[in-house]
Amino acid sequence: MWALQFHTPHTLRSLSYSVCTPRTSSKPPICSLTLNHSNPTKPETNYNHLIQSLCKQGSLKQALEVLSHEPNPTQQTYELLILSCSRQSSLSDGLDVHRHLVDAGFDQDPFLATKLINMYSELDAIDNARKVFDETRKRTIYVWNALFRALTLAGHGQEVLDLYRRMNQIGIPSDRFTYTYVLKACVASESLISLLHTGKEIHAHILRHGYDSLVHITTTLVDMYARFGCVSYASYVFNEMPVRNVVSWSAMIACYVKNGRAFEALELFREMILETQDSIPNSVTMVSVLQACAALAALEQGKLIHGYILRRGLDSILPVISALVTMYARCGKLELGQQVFDQMEKRDVVSWNSLISSYGIHGCGKRAIKIFEEMIYHGVSPSHVSFVSVLGACSHAGLVEEGKMVFESMVKQHRIYPSVEHYACMVDILGRANQLDAAAKIIEEMRIEPGPEVWGSLLGSCRIHCNVELAERASRRLFELEPMNAGNYVLLADIYAEASMWDEVKRVKKLLEARGLQKIPGRSWIEVKRHVYTFASVDETNPHIEQLHALLVKLSTEMKEQGYVPQTKAVLYDLDVEEKERIVLGHSEKLAVAFGLINTSKGETIRITKNLRLCEDCHSVTKFISKFTDREILVRDVNRFHHFKDGICSCGDYW
């Protein structure tokens, strides 16, 4: 242990200290010094080494005390003091060191300016970081980079890009770190659409200056394009990379997952395993891969990944285990998700949130609320995400009063002010329960600006209950906020179609065409014998289509004899009844169910994932099929799980 003894510390007239090895050691002390300032014949003592030693052992307060008696602190002394302030999260001490540094004439030292900017960034004092930059006359590229990094971490992406242009104008060349920070700045701003063009310009700079061979820069490019949803650009950059490491592989896998391309994510992971020796998947990789399995309800794939995680010893890492809980729940094995959770030695709020949302999407709202209460009982403070999860669970289960109580507890008990996401959940809870006036009132009384999430929840509820007036009000706001979101136009057209307002349907479809938008095609996925198969609605190119269509026609005929009536209101065309029935019979979820019936063993559960909300006809048909074929069929749509068995759905026809 390091030992330090002060005598008359306030005056330091008599100071003795020793920086020694532990007492158990037989080695002599590293340093031993006795000072006596009352003796004028002794030379002035340099305290820089002592201050630096105190900083290294975490004794910041003592180091600052000694600093006040050192007439000539060195650059290294100030560097270690600044780092100590960061490590101990002490802004007040950091300000003291900064003042002392200025008084000592180091205020124009670009090296220390860089350290100060980094310190203020870590202490969430971004204004102080700006001030250091503004007052530094000799700005090296390291000073610029330090401020770029600080502003990007603080979410001031546009400011970084403005400064970057200024830096280019005065002729300071960028280095490899500059490009990393400015690329990250492109996505650290709310104006994502306008900054995509800027990101492409920076990409061009990188190519012109020959930095495209550096793996950390190209990986950041992949991540930037991924966040803008430009999967093809990200894939191109990844494929052109001369060298790839685990971070670049993980970034591309995450890109596919976050942009709804889970199938490609799993394919790329297999390629990573088979083709690379150096890039061994890490915990970040595995979280994305588990998310891909969850997105596709690929249970067998997920089990294989779980085994790989156990073999690699990654089962003690909290984000991985939380992702496992979610994966099993989203693959329809809620009990396995609960089992993984129960075996966790340590749980954080993310783990609890995973379990809460898992029960929520299965429609087990009361169980989700109970787990939420257990989390609080165990001393884990709920996060914003916790409330989104439990409110979502209330929505799926139709627990209106319980949802109101949870919402009110946010501020009263937990001092968490509702965000747009929480208001969207409350609008969804009330709207699904056909309390549309109450939902509209919540929007009117919001203290923050309702975003597209809130208006989208209201429009979705209007779709369920065919409320044209409110739907038109919500869609007007959505067309302003999200003019390029095709889903909003389609929802409004659905509502008009159900109300047989065909002229309005045509008008909305013309709006779609004028903006160059297309309805998102329905897609469904099914895993059979560890292979994932995908189906698109009315997919005439599928090699199995004739066999699947023949089976569906046969089942449809039998179901009609038992009282099944096709529900064709999802068809946005004014066609005859038979043509509408043909269209809904070709929906992707029905094709996947038929494929499952043909290619799985009798009694085996069929698991399907769909990218859109389950339409009323698919829901009705799947209930009939589960009864006629004596099969359990699990379908996860964009909102929740539907567990079909014996002609009954777990949602109770509430979805």
Side-chain angles (χ1 to χ4, degrees):
M1 293 292 293
W2 297 78
L4 176 69
Q5 293 181 329
F6 282 102
H7 299 287
T8 60
H10 297 292
T11 60
L12 280 182
R13 291 184 180 178
S14 176
L15 171 65
S16 67
Y17 73 93
S18 59
V19 184
C20 309
T21 54
R23 292 185 182 182
T24 55
S25 173
S26 59
K27 294 180 181 180
I30 295 172
C31 175
S32 182
L33 175 67
T34 302
L35 302 172
N36 189 341
H37 285 274
S38 62
N39 187 343
T41 62
K42 287 197 173 186
E44 187 175 301
T45 303
N46 187 316
Y47 296 128
N48 281 291
H49 179 67
L50 172 58
I51 297 169
Q52 292 167 23
S53 298
L54 289 166
C55 288
K56 289 174 183 176
Q57 62 180 285
S59 303
L60 177 59
K61 294 296 183 185
Q62 291 97 320
L64 290 172
E65 192 170 348
V66 178
L67 176 66
S68 63
H69 298 279
E70 169 52 57
N72 298 304
T74 64
Q75 185 191 66
Q76 186 181 6
T77 294
Y78 281 123
E79 178 193 7
L80 290 172
L81 283 165
I82 292 167
L83 290 172
S84 293
C85 293
S86 295
R87 290 192 188 111
Q88 298 195 20
S89 302
S90 178
L91 179 59
S92 59
D93 289 332
L95 291 167
D96 287 342
V97 171
H98 189 178
R99 279 191 291 268
H100 199 286
L101 178 152
V102 171
D103 292 341
F106 280 91
D107 56 313
Q108 292 304 313
D109 185 321
F111 175 79
L112 291 179
T114 301
K115 299 299 177 185
L116 281 169
I117 292 170
N118 290 338
M119 176 192 75
Y120 283 129
S121 172
E122 291 179 28
L123 298 176
D124 295 323
I126 194 66
D127 289 337
N128 296 77
R130 286 193 189 97
K131 188 177 179 184
V132 171
F133 178 83
D134 292 339
E135 294 177 352
T136 303
R137 292 189 292 274
K138 185 181 179 182
R139 296 170 186 156
T140 63
I141 187 61
Y142 305 107
V143 176
W144 285 91
N145 286 346
L147 187 64
F148 291 162
R149 176 181 176 274
L151 291 170
T152 299
L153 289 172
H156 302 293
Q158 186 62 60
E159 187 177 352
V160 172
L161 297 172
D162 292 341
L163 284 167
Y164 176 64
R165 291 188 190 95
R166 203 168 113 201
M167 189 186 87
N168 287 331
Q169 288 169 357
I170 61 179
I172 296 177
S174 302
D175 68 4
R176 58 198 178 104
F177 297 107
T178 312
Y179 289 120
T180 302
Y181 298 140
V182 294
L183 285 172
K184 289 180 178 178
C186 290
V187 292
S189 172
E190 293 180 357
S191 55
L192 293 180
I193 295 174
S194 62
L195 294 185
L196 172 59
H197 180 69
T198 305
K200 290 179 179 179
E201 288 180 347
I202 295 166
H203 189 176
H205 286 200
I206 290 166
L207 293 171
R208 280 199 299 271
H209 293 94
Y211 282 98
D212 54 315
S213 62
L214 298 179
V215 66
H216 75 277
I217 290 180
T218 47
T219 299
T220 309
L221 270 170
V222 168
D223 187 57
M224 180 201 73
Y225 283 127
R227 291 179 185 235
F228 284 116
C230 300
V231 180
S232 59
Y233 291 153
S235 179
Y236 176 81
V237 172
F238 179 78
N239 291 332
E240 293 296 312
M241 291 172 79
V243 179
R244 298 170 187 159
N245 59 18
V246 64
V247 181
S248 49
W249 282 97
S250 299
M252 193 63 225
I253 292 170
C255 169
Y256 282 133
V257 173
K258 291 173 183 174
N259 288 283
R261 306 269 287 270
F263 189 85
E264 288 93 330
L266 290 180
E267 289 294 317
L268 188 62
F269 176 67
R270 290 190 194 96
E271 184 183 332
M272 179 184 183
I273 295 292
L274 295 172
E275 295 188 11
T276 65
Q277 300 296 325
D278 301 329
S279 299
I280 300 172
N282 60 18
S283 60
V284 176
T285 321
M286 301 319 298
V287 167
S288 293
V289 173
L290 287 169
Q291 289 171 345
C293 293
L296 297 172
L299 178 62
E300 295 306 314
Q301 296 281 342
K303 287 179 177 179
L304 289 174
I305 300 301
H306 191 176
Y308 181 85
I309 288 167
L310 293 172
R311 291 194 299 274
R312 287 287 322 283
L314 299 173
D315 55 317
S316 60
I317 300 173
L318 279 175
V320 175
I321 306 305
S322 298
L324 267 172
V325 172
T326 301
M327 183 274 292
Y328 278 122
R330 289 183 175 269
C331 289
K333 283 290 187 179
L334 188 54
E335 68 279 7
L336 288 180
Q338 179 72 63
Q339 186 177 323
V340 171
F341 181 84
D342 291 340
Q343 291 173 352
M344 294 176 73
E345 294 180 4
K346 184 181 178 183
R347 300 167 185 146
D348 60 4
V349 68
V350 178
S351 312
W352 286 96
N353 291 347
S354 296
L355 193 64
I356 293 167
S357 65
S358 294
Y359 278 96
I361 63 168
H362 279 268
C364 306
K366 291 187 177 179
R367 177 67 177 136
I369 293 171
K370 186 177 179 182
I371 294 166
F372 176 74
E373 291 169 347
E374 284 178 20
M375 176 183 74
I376 296 169
Y377 176 78
H378 282 90
V380 178
S381 299
S383 65
H384 281 78
V385 176
S386 306
F387 283 101
V388 171
S389 298
V390 74
L391 287 170
C394 292
S395 178
H396 293 313
L399 302 176
V400 177
E401 294 306 315
E402 292 87 340
K404 288 178 181 178
M405 290 174 63
V406 170
F407 187 76
E408 290 171 2
S409 75
M410 290 182 66
V411 176
K412 289 182 180 178
Q413 296 178 26
H414 304 284
R415 297 187 178 181
I416 294 177
Y417 287 90
S419 68
V420 170
E421 288 80 9
H422 301 116
Y423 280 109
C425 288
M426 275 308 301
V427 169
D428 196 52
I429 288 171
L430 294 166
R432 284 177 185 273
N434 203 15
Q435 297 183 24
L436 289 167
D437 290 338
K441 187 178 179 183
I442 277 191
I443 297 175
E444 290 170 3
E445 295 176 351
M446 281 178 64
R447 296 183 177 181
I448 56 178
E449 187 66 26
E453 301 95 331
V454 175
W455 291 110
S457 290
L458 184 62
L459 184 60
S461 298
C462 292
R463 161 71 177 81
I464 295 170
H465 302 291
C466 195
N467 188 311
V468 174
E469 183 182 347
L470 264 181
E472 290 176 334
R473 177 184 167 193
S475 61
R476 279 194 295 271
R477 293 293 294 122
L478 284 166
F479 294 165
E480 293 172 6
L481 294 167
E482 296 180 319
M484 304 306 288
N485 186 341
N488 297 326
Y489 299 89
V490 173
L491 269 178
L492 181 60
D494 282 346
I495 295 165
Y496 283 141
E498 188 172 349
S500 298
M501 299 170 67
W502 297 111
D503 289 340
E504 292 302 317
V505 172
K506 291 176 184 176
R507 181 181 65 82
V508 174
K509 288 173 72 175
K510 284 181 180 178
L511 276 176
L512 266 173
E513 292 171 6
R515 287 169 169 77
L517 302 175
Q518 288 185 333
K519 179 182 178 181
I520 298 171
R523 288 192 176 276
S524 295
W525 294 266
I526 182 172
E527 184 188 37
V528 176
K529 297 180 176 63
R530 295 182 179 175
H531 288 281
V532 178
Y533 298 86
T534 182
F535 296 90
S537 293
V538 197
D539 186 2
E540 299 298 336
T541 62
N542 191 301
H544 309 284
I545 193 66
E546 289 186 12
Q547 183 186 22
L548 300 179
H549 188 67
L551 176 59
L552 288 171
V553 169
K554 179 176 179 291
L555 288 170
S556 177
T557 303
E558 292 176 3
M559 289 187 298
K560 284 180 179 178
E561 293 173 359
Q562 298 295 322
Y564 160 64
V565 178
Q567 300 181 50
T568 59
K569 62 183 180 181
V571 180
L572 300 181
Y573 301 94
D574 191 7
L575 303 171
D576 60 54
V577 175
E578 287 186 4
E579 184 61 20
K580 285 186 177 183
E581 288 183 14
R582 188 192 69 80
I583 291 172
V584 295
L585 199 63
H587 279 187
S588 64
E589 186 258 337
K590 294 188 184 78
L591 296 174
V593 169
F595 185 84
L597 290 171
I598 293 169
N599 293 283
T600 59
S601 305
K602 188 175 181 180
E604 185 178 345
T605 301
I606 296 172
R607 291 181 172 82
I608 294 167
T609 303
K610 187 168 184 176
N611 66 333
L612 304 174
R613 179 182 181 270
L614 203 60
C615 80
E616 285 78 359
D617 191 64
C618 284
H619 194 267
S620 178
V621 165
T622 311
K623 284 199 295 184
F624 269 100
I625 291 176
S626 72
K627 184 176 182 179
F628 286 171
T629 62
D630 194 25
R631 288 288 196 104
E632 287 189 43
I633 304 172
L634 290 177
V635 180
R636 197 188 78 228
D637 68 8
V638 71
N639 292 321
R640 60 163 297 152
F641 250 100
H642 299 265
H643 187 173
F644 298 94
K645 185 178 180 181
D646 298 327
I648 299 170
C649 180
S650 60
C651 75
D653 298 339
Y654 186 90
W655 84 102

